[in-house]
Amino acid sequence: KLQDYLKQVGQRPSVWAANHNISPSIISRLLRGKTKPALLTARKIIDATNGLVSISDICNDANNQPE
């Protein structure tokens, strides 16, 4: 999962997103389960994590909305 990856590399989501040309607000909403990323954003996440976060992980993060 992306949240686990960010903890592993020791970066705040907003800083990590900005460093990889991804909107910090999109990453924030994704991590809170409030949105599903566009295909281009998902590709950027996969590339930026060297494949450690997969498309399946991204979709699961987006579907895990708090009740």
Side-chain angles (χ1 to χ4, degrees):
K1 290 186 169 186
L2 183 56
Q3 185 69 45
D4 296 333
Y5 174 82
L6 294 172
K7 285 180 185 178
Q8 183 181 4
V9 297
Q11 285 196 333
R12 292 190 346 246
S14 59
V15 173
W16 181 85
N19 287 340
H20 294 285
N21 297 316
I22 302 170
S23 167
S25 64
I26 290 174
I27 295 300
S28 176
R29 290 193 314 263
L30 174 66
L31 292 174
R32 290 183 286 127
K34 299 292 183 186
T35 192
K36 294 181 181 180
L39 187 56
L40 179 60
T41 302
R43 180 81 256 165
K44 286 181 179 182
I45 293 169
I46 293 165
D47 290 346
T49 63
N50 294 315
L52 294 175
V53 175
S54 68
I55 189 72
S56 177
D57 294 328
I58 295 166
C59 291
N60 287 337
D61 283 346
N63 289 327
N64 289 332
Q65 297 181 9
E67 295 295 323

